[in-house]
Amino acid sequence: MVKAAAAGAAVVFAVLSVPPAAADGTDGGGAPDPLAAELGGDPAPEILEAVREGRPLVHPRVSDRFPSITADSVAGVLGEDTTTRVAVLPAVEADPDAVAEDMHEGRAEGAAVLYVWHDGGFRPHLAGRGDGAGPKGALATVGSWAAPGELLRSLAQLETVLRGDVISRAAESLADSPLHVPPCLRTDLGAARAEELADRFAAVPARVRVALLPSEAVEYESAVARRGSGNVAELVQGESDMPVIVYLVDPGGRVVSSAASGRVSNDRFGLRGDDLAGLANSVRDRDSADTTLTNLLRRLGGGDDGGSAAFDRAAEFLIYAAPFLALVGLVLVLPSRRAERD
């Protein structure tokens, strides 16, 4: 273990001892880049100690430039998790993926996350358990770049994925709100719009919970952390008595699939029990989470406004009542025509 730690420290020390990629002191766009200057000092003892003890490391030049990014703030995000090793470094010339692998030291579990300064922000590199698809899937959840002000949130979202807590977090959220949209999710929904839709879902006659989840994170959790299979909506619902609809969103913001936990009774025209799986998929708009949720609201009785909802209800009534109305018409019309002929 100590030899592996020393090897990891040697690699990172070598990385920090070389001049950064941007030798002209810019970030590639012409603006001065305070972290692209040649590094001074010898951080090797810090790195060696952090690797041995599993403590997060933030290079002093990073903290000097961004006071909110410190070893303590990173440790605060990690909480009691001692399996994830995190380092935040300035620009480097060596392969960051190789450095992350050395930080991980080939352990059977846990992960190593290396954030490296790149083009005015930090790019995450991950090494961890599972095959190559696992770490890539986890990183796809939070994106490949984080602005300095977003680094801690990016790490928090990544930690949720690495711990296999995406599904349980959704379940916790839906206990208090009818709609769950993770803050890391890239969709055409803004925070204000998501809150508005949550209020409208709370007012619909059918008591249904809805969650948007990152597809890569759910796949990673199923393959690496949870090691199980099954309907993700049923897993989110758990012991709750309220049905759940889950839409999976890919890193490009596309709504790629849907799942539902069961059926819901709809009392507008009697208890006819809509099949939620079919309903959820029928309203899915691959290119828009906003449109998908709006369509779902309309089908559940929560249209954009009173007129729209009334129109939807009237149209649905006509669809289901048409055969009955036609039969009534025949009963009324045929006797009168016989009387005319007689």
Side-chain angles (χ1 to χ4, degrees):
M1 176 70 179
V2 174
K3 290 183 178 179
V11 172
V12 179
F13 172 66
V15 170
L16 294 176
S17 299
V18 298
D24 61 355
T26 67
D27 63 2
D33 185 349
L35 294 184
E38 184 173 356
L39 297 176
D42 182 6
E46 292 181 50
I47 296 172
L48 180 58
E49 186 178 359
V51 169
R52 283 175 174 170
E53 298 183 8
R55 294 184 290 103
L57 167 75
V58 177
H59 192 275
R61 291 186 69 89
V62 174
S63 296
D64 288 345
R65 180 64 180 83
F66 307 108
S68 65
I69 304 176
T70 64
D72 288 341
S73 65
V74 170
V77 172
L78 297 177
E80 297 180 358
D81 178 16
T82 59
T83 65
T84 302
R85 295 180 172 179
V86 179
V88 185
L89 304 178
V92 297
E93 281 191 349
D95 180 3
D97 291 322
V99 177
E101 289 289 347
D102 284 319
M103 288 173 54
H104 186 255
E105 299 179 342
R107 293 176 298 161
E109 60 181 28
V113 184
L114 173 66
Y115 283 93
V116 176
W117 182 257
H118 180 81
D119 285 344
F122 293 93
R123 177 168 292 175
H125 301 265
L126 175 65
R129 56 193 171 189
D131 56 21
K136 291 179 182 177
L139 283 179
T141 304
V142 298
S144 60
W145 186 88
E150 296 295 316
L151 183 141
L152 294 179
R153 191 174 79 161
S154 172
L155 177 59
Q157 297 300 331
L158 187 56
E159 264 289 279
T160 299
V161 178
L162 293 174
R163 288 196 306 265
D165 288 342
V166 172
I167 291 174
S168 60
R169 285 283 182 90
E172 292 173 5
S173 174
L174 292 181
D176 300 319
S177 171
L179 178 63
H180 171 67
V181 182
C184 67
L185 206 60
R186 286 165 172 77
T187 68
D188 56 347
L189 290 170
R193 177 60 173 164
E195 186 174 342
E196 175 191 345
L197 290 171
D199 290 340
R200 287 168 54 192
F201 271 109
V204 299
R207 298 173 68 243
V208 178
R209 299 303 203 203
V210 183
L212 301 183
L213 297 180
S215 60
E216 299 282 357
V218 171
E219 180 181 353
Y220 177 84
E221 186 166 328
S222 298
V224 180
R226 185 166 51 83
R227 299 186 183 279
S229 60
N231 186 325
V232 63
E234 293 174 351
L235 295 172
V236 172
Q237 181 182 357
E239 299 299 321
S240 171
D241 61 352
M242 273 188 284
V244 170
I245 291 174
V246 172
Y247 288 105
L248 297 183
V249 181
D250 72 8
R254 292 177 292 273
V255 186
V256 294
S257 64
S258 63
S261 62
R263 303 167 72 88
V264 60
S265 294
N266 186 320
D267 61 3
R268 284 182 289 167
F269 308 112
L271 299 177
R272 57 183 176 81
D274 283 326
D275 182 345
L276 274 190
L279 187 154
N281 190 59
S282 69
V283 301
R284 178 171 62 89
D285 186 315
R286 180 178 177 83
D287 297 321
S288 172
D290 193 337
T291 301
T292 296
L293 295 180
T294 301
N295 291 343
L296 180 61
L297 272 166
R298 287 175 174 170
R299 288 295 302 275
L300 294 174
D304 285 332
D305 52 51
S308 175
F311 178 82
D312 290 341
R313 287 194 294 271
E316 191 169 357
F317 173 79
L318 290 176
I319 291 173
Y320 286 92
F324 175 75
L325 294 176
L327 180 60
V328 171
L330 288 174
V331 171
L332 295 176
V333 171
L334 287 178
S336 64
R337 288 191 173 179
R338 287 199 189 99
E340 289 176 359
R341 285 199 301 268
D342 294 342

